[in-house]
Amino acid sequence: MSVSNFAQQASKPSKILTYETINPHVKRVEYAVRGELAICAERIKDELSNGYSHNYRFDTVVNCNIGNPQQLKQKPITFFRQVASLMEYPDLLLPENRKQIEFLYPTDAIERARRLLKQIGSIGAYSHSQGIPCIRDNVAKFIEERDGYPAEQSSIFLTQGASAGVQSILQLLIAHSNVGIMIPIPQYPLYTATLALYDAQPVPYYLDEEKDWGLDISQLASSLSEGRSKGLDIRALVIINPGNPTGQCLTEQNMREIIDFCHKERIILMADEVYQTNIYQPAERPFHSFKKVLRSMGEKYEQFELFSFHSVSKGMIGECGRRGGYYECTGIDSPVVDQLYKLASVSLCPNVQGQIMVDLMVQPPKCGDESYALYQKELSGIYESLRRRSIKLSECFNQLEGVTCNNAQGSMYLFPQIRLPQKSIEAARQASKQPDEFYCLAMLNATGVCVVPGSGFGQKADTWHFRSTFLPPEELFDGFCERLQRFHHEFFEKYRD
Amino acid sequence: MSVSNFAQQASKPSKILTYETINPHVKRVEYAVRGELAICAERIKDELSNGYSHNYRFDTVVNCNIGNPQQLKQKPITFFRQVASLMEYPDLLLPENRKQIEFLYPTDAIERARRLLKQIGSIGAYSHSQGIPCIRDNVAKFIEERDGYPAEQSSIFLTQGASAGVQSILQLLIAHSNVGIMIPIPQYPLYTATLALYDAQPVPYYLDEEKDWGLDISQLASSLSEGRSKGLDIRALVIINPGNPTGQCLTEQNMREIIDFCHKERIILMADEVYQTNIYQPAERPFHSFKKVLRSMGEKYEQFELFSFHSVSKGMIGECGRRGGYYECTGIDSPVVDQLYKLASVSLCPNVQGQIMVDLMVQPPKCGDESYALYQKELSGIYESLRRRSIKLSECFNQLEGVTCNNAQGSMYLFPQIRLPQKSIEAARQASKQPDEFYCLAMLNATGVCVVPGSGFGQKADTWHFRSTFLPPEELFDGFCERLQRFHHEFFEKYRD
């Protein structure tokens, strides 16, 4: 590690803190989802809103680079926002406002807010660092009902989104720079970014594009043995299910094999399950939680160590800006849980409105409640539309020359492969860009559509992809696909070999 | 660094992840504000609410361990919560609800919410990773008005509370394990906790209790030279002003000396200014920001590098549960700012309700606005009460045998010194506790008052202190002080030498 003493840099008197002197691990972090493409898209947005629209053949930028539903006009769940609104301003619940409140809010939202306020007190106070106990109780009940196996509130940590939870667990696991963490390729770049930041080694295993991005257990074994042969201390396996950016959904059988593999190899499992309700082939590919599959495997696996992550940002809820989520510790030694609590306490607590959204996610209106019908209608409206959009977009991609795209079994993304013309690959190299990045930049400049190059997620050598959400509003889809197709055709004409 | 390979631990087949195998830096973290005392207080609270009140001579636990005003019944600022409530549920602003909304909300809250919604869109969407641009504009204006010198939105990062900001900057600065960061003793334990976590070396400088916890520049010089003599690469000086846990407020002259010291020694200044409006001797000891003092020192210091932190959790706002704050980069090289942006983008964005609270903090109702009178009344009510309570509590402490306590010039804390009887020090050693921890645990068990032992903040060898907020509701103060005095008397009688 290079040691540069600030005070001795007499040759560079102007600035003390420079790119050269900062933490080298920070420099190594890459996060393509908000990388160069996204920064470029922001710049174009600014130009458009400052009257420079004549520079472009489109009038809006569409951010397909990030799973951010409400940015793309997805409406929030009404009941959730009603409760949150009452929590913000409890004076609304005073007797003198009764008439107005009963006009504006349904009874069950008022009751829920009253109950939460009684349990929590002010949302302006720091809560328990692990999360408000009664909300953790509700999360435990939710998990029990989902899985049919017990869960305990003391094993649940509320977090500022799933990302914060993943980062805490990786921070705990990374005891030295020789720690290896197995991650899928393609992967969500939170994982490589965090491993770079905390100075650990990614140990990649490849998903099989030919088999709907399926996970082959022999891939895990060969990846593990390759990592170990380099002397790495391989501590955990990350599974993203449903997949991001790849959208696959694991079968129960496959999950059993994965658990068995980790058990045999003494590896901790980290299950990123934030897309658990984004399931588009529920009959053939339903979601199973790793916790449930693990418990169904009986006593032999009782001591198995698993961290499972969930979030309010995805699903039909899409409350990304809220920063709310949780993780469950299964089979984790209690002195280790104590250390996680201590770590959480340094940051005091997750934001309380995020915690309340977790409560609402795990306890939505029930059959018989005043808000149930509207809740169901909103939920299924968003769900059905997402499913339609996922199909529409994969059809659009599959019609493009040289492009193939698997259907999304789950999540919010498609990850099409583009067989780029050799000339475009050479043009990219001359522009010091990755070929897929070059293609995506051209797409952004021609159409206003911002996607993320496959190189930001990892991909097999000499294959090129991009990730696109299917979140733009449905009514824009035809125009959107048309613009994409026109651009793609022109790009291929220009660089045809 | 010890390398323990999980897979090789055949002797310990039951658990893979144990206290022994986790990241050793996590183990070294200490955070007394939510440490053993606070955990013990939670346990007593549970006992009291489960009907075991006969175990105690009190019926409620009073959390003076943490600056958490709304937990101790401080009312939130009405205007702020009105705007937040409308932001949560924008349907309230539909024409059909006009009559009800105009009854429930003042016009300026409705207008503010409309404007913010137009600028931001849904609060459920991820925002710009650095914070919503128009809110950063307002922060820049606030700084300009406060200081009389320019500020730029591109240099401002909105954060999930000041703690998150401090952690980002330390993460950036700590390039290797020989980095030293100068911190005050006593200090807020966020600093030592973060240095332990990121594996850097605290370089302590002592505040002078005899001089109202003043900062003597010769202390900085000797601390620095001691650190450098150990071969440390000393990169930054942390100043907490107004002080936590010590409550002092620096004079402008002293601040100039500090800036000059850092400039001469090529050290970056980190100014933790979260208590900037908690100023109780405004005539003698007004708050000056380091940014303002720096700019007043002219061209010679133009390149000076400063990070300044602020928060919505303190002041008269006290919105701790919100997790909102910001930091300003002054004189920081732009490639370094780019790296901070990249780091922020991995966590996507600070929670949007926290960002909105920052907007409200920096743009409160103005003279002429409908809500101005109420806002002023709430603000000065909280302020005057805090000032009265700070004096009342320091008087209470100063009446105790063997206790001396400086008045609070600022912040929310008192940090009295207790000259403990030798017998109690021996009893503490036998119980494997620090003497001040032993005293504070006895206080908690006898009175229900939870404070933090001085050893959690650092103190001169063989002196003992504790930190107490003066936040309990004013009407409880007499009973509260009486309980404390009775306990203290009994403790001293029991252990009298």
Side-chain angles (χ1 to χ4, degrees):
Chain A
M1 189 174 287
S2 93
V3 176
S4 48
N5 188 315
F6 277 23
Q8 291 167 352
Q9 294 186 321
S11 62
K12 225 188 171 181
S14 61
K15 287 291 171 198
I16 309 171
L17 190 61
T18 64
Y19 183 80
E20 286 68 36
T21 54
I22 63 167
N23 180 348
H25 306 308
V26 169
K27 286 188 254 186
R28 257 180 253 142
V29 167
E30 284 182 28
Y31 188 69
V33 174
R34 292 211 154 182
E36 194 196 342
L37 259 289
I39 291 169
C40 188
E42 287 299 313
R43 208 160 34 224
I44 296 175
K45 261 189 215 173
D46 285 347
E47 284 182 57
L48 291 176
S49 68
N50 292 327
Y52 293 92
S53 57
H54 55 275
N55 291 353
Y56 299 99
R57 296 196 307 195
F58 50 88
D59 49 18
T60 47
V61 167
V62 184
N63 281 100
C64 294
N65 57 312
I66 185 163
N68 193 5
Q70 294 190 23
Q71 184 194 31
L72 296 171
K73 314 286 177 217
Q74 182 176 305
K75 292 265 276 174
I77 301 291
T78 303
F79 179 78
F80 294 1
R81 292 303 197 88
Q82 287 168 334
V83 175
S85 161
L86 291 165
M87 297 295 293
E88 282 292 347
Y89 187 30
D91 283 2
L92 294 176
L93 298 169
L94 293 174
E96 60 262 38
N97 298 323
R98 194 173 152 182
K99 214 177 89 197
Q100 286 74 23
I101 294 308
E102 287 181 354
F103 177 86
L104 295 168
Y105 294 90
T107 320
D108 51 353
I110 296 170
E111 274 167 17
R112 174 69 71 94
R114 273 193 209 284
R115 197 180 79 204
L116 282 168
L117 281 165
K118 205 174 149 197
Q119 290 171 325
I120 294 171
S122 172
I123 60 162
Y126 293 127
S127 75
H128 192 293
S129 297
Q130 195 172 341
I132 295 161
C134 64
I135 296 182
R136 284 187 280 131
D137 281 333
N138 292 336
V139 172
K141 270 183 229 152
F142 160 80
I143 294 171
E144 289 183 356
E145 282 167 27
R146 185 193 63 189
D147 294 343
Y149 295 98
E152 274 174 46
Q153 65 115 307
S154 59
S155 303
I156 289 154
F157 282 74
L158 304 188
T159 57
Q160 314 236 67
S163 302
V166 166
Q167 293 201 309
S168 298
I169 301 306
L170 288 175
Q171 190 165 46
L172 189 80
L173 288 171
I174 297 170
H176 52 81
S177 60
N178 228 20
V179 165
I181 306 288
M182 295 178 72
I183 57 166
I185 295 294
Q187 53 107 30
Y188 177 55
L190 167 69
Y191 293 96
T192 40
T194 308
L195 296 180
L197 192 59
Y198 297 152
D199 193 23
Q201 311 308 317
V203 178
Y205 64 91
Y206 286 86
L207 302 174
D208 189 351
E209 187 166 12
E210 308 303 311
K211 294 184 180 157
D212 273 334
W213 296 111
L215 193 161
D216 185 342
I217 209 82
S218 69
Q219 251 297 314
L220 293 184
S222 67
S223 156
L224 177 70
S225 78
E226 197 183 322
R228 284 197 176 144
S229 74
K230 290 180 188 157
L232 295 181
D233 172 13
I234 296 178
R235 299 199 154 195
L237 167 65
V238 171
I239 305 269
I240 310 174
N241 179 48
N244 176 4
T246 41
Q248 82 287 10
C249 189
L250 299 177
T251 64
E252 201 170 346
Q253 176 53 29
N254 201 186
M255 293 169 77
R256 285 169 189 270
E257 292 168 359
I258 294 166
I259 290 169
D260 193 58
F261 170 83
C262 289
H263 181 256
K264 214 169 53 200
E265 299 290 354
R266 293 186 64 71
I267 289 172
I268 287 157
L269 184 57
M270 292 175 67
D272 178 339
E273 301 178 330
V274 301
Y275 297 99
Q276 59 189 262
T277 60
N278 294 95
I279 296 293
Y280 308 110
Q281 302 172 7
E284 308 90 316
R285 290 296 178 110
F287 169 76
H288 304 283
S289 77
F290 268 105
K291 170 86 181 293
K292 182 188 86 172
V293 175
L294 170 67
R295 286 290 173 250
S296 77
M297 290 168 72
E299 233 171 65
K300 181 179 164 195
Y301 299 89
E302 208 174 349
Q303 293 293 321
F304 190 87
E305 291 153 73
L306 165 69
F307 294 99
S308 310
F309 302 88
H310 196 14
S311 164
V312 303
S313 300
K314 309 301 171 185
M316 311 318 131
I317 303 174
E319 292 280 356
C320 303
R322 190 76 49 173
R323 314 314 295 119
Y326 74 82
Y327 63 85
E328 183 187 15
C329 305
T330 303
I332 303 302
D333 214 16
S334 93
V336 174
V337 176
D338 292 346
Q339 293 294 309
L340 282 168
Y341 170 77
K342 185 182 70 180
L343 208 53
S345 77
V346 179
S347 302
L348 297 156
C349 69
N351 82 83
V352 176
Q353 276 286 16
Q355 297 187 53
I356 286 165
M357 196 53 66
V358 172
D359 190 71
L360 293 162
M361 173 174 79
V362 299
Q363 283 216 318
K366 281 197 231 4
C367 186
D369 293 350
E370 187 178 340
S371 297
Y372 182 70
L374 178 62
Y375 170 70
Q376 278 301 322
K377 189 176 155 230
E378 291 176 335
L379 209 66
S380 63
I382 295 168
Y383 172 75
E384 292 302 339
S385 166
L386 276 176
R387 188 152 72 162
R388 280 193 301 273
R389 283 179 275 168
S390 82
I391 294 167
K392 209 159 189 170
L393 193 60
S394 72
E395 281 171 358
C396 162
F397 289 149
N398 277 313
Q399 282 167 18
L400 302 176
E401 181 184 351
V403 173
T404 50
C405 181
N406 288 323
N407 284 329
Q409 296 168 345
S411 90
M412 296 178 168
Y413 312 102
L414 294 173
F415 198 64
Q417 183 174 165
I418 348 163
R419 285 148 200 88
L420 289 167
Q422 196 53 40
K423 270 195 194 154
S424 80
I425 294 175
E426 278 149 28
R429 296 260 143 90
Q430 278 181 7
S432 301
K433 304 275 177 219
Q434 291 291 329
D436 51 2
E437 195 186 357
F438 184 78
Y439 173 87
C440 294
L441 274 168
M443 184 197 295
L444 174 63
N445 281 303
T447 67
V449 174
C450 181
V451 298
V452 188
S455 44
F457 305 89
Q459 51 202 347
K460 276 197 177 155
D462 297 319
T463 69
W464 308 108
H465 301 76
F466 62 87
R467 186 188 81 166
S468 176
T469 70
F470 40 85
L471 295 172
E474 208 163 353
E475 64 273 20
L476 301 182
F477 247 67
D478 289 332
F480 171 79
C481 290
E482 211 182 282
R483 279 195 274 166
L484 270 187
Q485 284 165 335
R486 190 175 343 126
F487 152 73
H488 185 83
H489 178 73
E490 289 173 6
F491 185 92
F492 267 58
E493 286 304 310
K494 181 168 176 187
Y495 294 106
R496 194 169 295 287
D497 295 320
Chain B
M1 192 173 286
S2 93
V3 176
S4 46
N5 189 314
F6 277 22
Q8 290 167 353
Q9 295 186 324
S11 61
K12 227 188 170 184
S14 60
K15 286 292 170 197
I16 310 170
L17 191 60
T18 65
Y19 183 79
E20 286 68 35
T21 54
I22 62 167
N23 179 348
H25 306 309
V26 169
K27 286 189 254 185
R28 257 179 252 140
V29 167
E30 285 182 27
Y31 188 69
V33 173
R34 292 212 154 180
E36 194 197 340
L37 259 287
I39 291 170
C40 187
E42 288 298 314
R43 208 158 36 222
I44 296 176
K45 262 190 214 172
D46 285 347
E47 285 183 56
L48 291 176
S49 69
N50 292 327
Y52 292 92
S53 58
H54 54 274
N55 290 355
Y56 299 99
R57 296 195 307 195
F58 52 87
D59 49 19
T60 48
V61 168
V62 184
N63 280 98
C64 294
N65 56 312
I66 186 164
N68 193 6
Q70 295 190 22
Q71 184 194 34
L72 297 171
K73 313 287 176 217
Q74 182 177 306
K75 293 265 273 173
I77 302 291
T78 302
F79 179 78
F80 293 2
R81 292 302 197 88
Q82 287 168 333
V83 175
S85 162
L86 291 165
M87 298 294 294
E88 283 292 348
Y89 187 30
D91 283 1
L92 294 176
L93 298 169
L94 293 174
E96 60 262 38
N97 298 325
R98 191 171 155 184
K99 213 177 90 196
Q100 286 74 25
I101 293 309
E102 287 181 353
F103 177 86
L104 294 168
Y105 294 89
T107 320
D108 50 354
I110 296 171
E111 276 167 16
R112 174 70 71 95
R114 274 194 207 284
R115 197 180 79 205
L116 283 168
L117 281 164
K118 204 175 150 197
Q119 291 171 327
I120 295 171
S122 172
I123 60 164
Y126 294 126
S127 74
H128 191 293
S129 297
Q130 194 172 343
I132 295 161
C134 64
I135 297 183
R136 284 188 279 131
D137 280 334
N138 291 336
V139 172
K141 272 183 226 151
F142 160 81
I143 294 172
E144 289 182 358
E145 280 167 26
R146 184 193 65 188
D147 294 344
Y149 295 98
E152 274 174 45
Q153 65 115 310
S154 59
S155 303
I156 289 155
F157 282 73
L158 303 189
T159 57
Q160 314 237 64
S163 301
V166 166
Q167 293 201 310
S168 298
I169 300 307
L170 289 175
Q171 190 165 45
L172 188 80
L173 288 171
I174 298 171
H176 52 81
S177 61
N178 227 21
V179 164
I181 305 288
M182 296 178 72
I183 57 167
I185 296 295
Q187 55 105 29
Y188 177 54
L190 166 68
Y191 293 96
T192 40
T194 308
L195 296 179
L197 192 59
Y198 297 152
D199 194 23
Q201 312 308 317
V203 178
Y205 64 89
Y206 285 85
L207 301 174
D208 189 350
E209 186 166 9
E210 309 302 311
K211 292 181 180 157
D212 274 333
W213 296 112
L215 193 162
D216 186 341
I217 208 83
S218 68
Q219 251 297 314
L220 292 184
S222 67
S223 155
L224 176 70
S225 78
E226 199 183 319
R228 286 197 173 143
S229 74
K230 289 179 188 157
L232 295 180
D233 172 12
I234 295 178
R235 298 199 154 194
L237 166 66
V238 171
I239 304 269
I240 310 173
N241 179 48
N244 175 5
T246 41
Q248 83 286 8
C249 189
L250 299 176
T251 64
E252 201 171 345
Q253 176 51 29
N254 202 186
M255 293 168 77
R256 286 170 188 269
E257 291 168 359
I258 293 166
I259 290 169
D260 193 59
F261 170 82
C262 289
H263 181 256
K264 215 169 53 200
E265 300 290 352
R266 294 186 62 71
I267 290 171
I268 286 156
L269 185 56
M270 292 175 67
D272 178 339
E273 301 179 329
V274 301
Y275 296 99
Q276 60 188 261
T277 61
N278 294 95
I279 296 294
Y280 307 111
Q281 302 171 9
E284 307 90 316
R285 290 295 178 109
F287 169 75
H288 304 282
S289 78
F290 267 104
K291 170 89 181 290
K292 182 187 88 174
V293 174
L294 170 66
R295 286 290 174 251
S296 77
M297 289 168 74
E299 234 172 68
K300 181 179 164 193
Y301 299 89
E302 209 174 348
Q303 293 293 321
F304 190 87
E305 290 154 77
L306 165 69
F307 293 100
S308 309
F309 302 88
H310 197 13
S311 164
V312 303
S313 300
K314 310 300 172 186
M316 311 319 131
I317 302 173
E319 291 279 356
C320 303
R322 189 79 48 176
R323 314 316 293 123
Y326 74 81
Y327 63 85
E328 184 187 14
C329 304
T330 303
I332 303 301
D333 214 16
S334 93
V336 174
V337 175
D338 291 346
Q339 293 293 309
L340 283 167
Y341 170 77
K342 185 182 69 179
L343 208 51
S345 77
V346 180
S347 301
L348 297 157
C349 70
N351 82 84
V352 177
Q353 275 287 14
Q355 298 188 52
I356 286 165
M357 195 54 65
V358 172
D359 190 71
L360 293 161
M361 173 175 79
V362 299
Q363 283 215 320
K366 282 197 226 13
C367 186
D369 292 351
E370 187 178 339
S371 297
Y372 183 69
L374 178 62
Y375 170 69
Q376 278 300 322
K377 189 175 154 228
E378 291 177 335
L379 208 67
S380 64
I382 295 169
Y383 173 74
E384 293 301 340
S385 166
L386 276 177
R387 187 152 73 161
R388 280 193 301 272
R389 283 179 275 167
S390 82
I391 293 167
K392 210 158 186 170
L393 193 60
S394 72
E395 280 171 358
C396 163
F397 288 149
N398 277 313
Q399 282 167 19
L400 301 177
E401 182 185 351
V403 173
T404 50
C405 181
N406 289 324
N407 285 328
Q409 296 168 346
S411 89
M412 295 177 168
Y413 312 102
L414 295 173
F415 198 64
Q417 182 172 165
I418 348 163
R419 286 149 200 88
L420 288 167
Q422 196 51 41
K423 270 192 192 157
S424 78
I425 294 175
E426 279 150 27
R429 299 260 141 91
Q430 280 182 3
S432 302
K433 303 277 177 214
Q434 291 291 332
D436 50 2
E437 195 185 358
F438 184 78
Y439 172 87
C440 294
L441 274 168
M443 184 197 294
L444 174 63
N445 281 303
T447 66
V449 175
C450 181
V451 298
V452 188
S455 44
F457 305 91
Q459 51 201 349
K460 277 198 176 153
D462 297 320
T463 68
W464 308 108
H465 300 76
F466 61 87
R467 185 187 84 164
S468 176
T469 71
F470 39 84
L471 294 172
E474 206 163 355
E475 64 274 20
L476 301 182
F477 248 67
D478 289 332
F480 171 81
C481 289
E482 210 181 282
R483 279 195 274 165
L484 270 187
Q485 283 165 335
R486 193 180 336 130
F487 152 73
H488 185 84
H489 178 72
E490 288 173 7
F491 185 92
F492 267 60
E493 284 306 308
K494 182 169 176 186
Y495 294 105
R496 194 169 294 289
D497 296 319

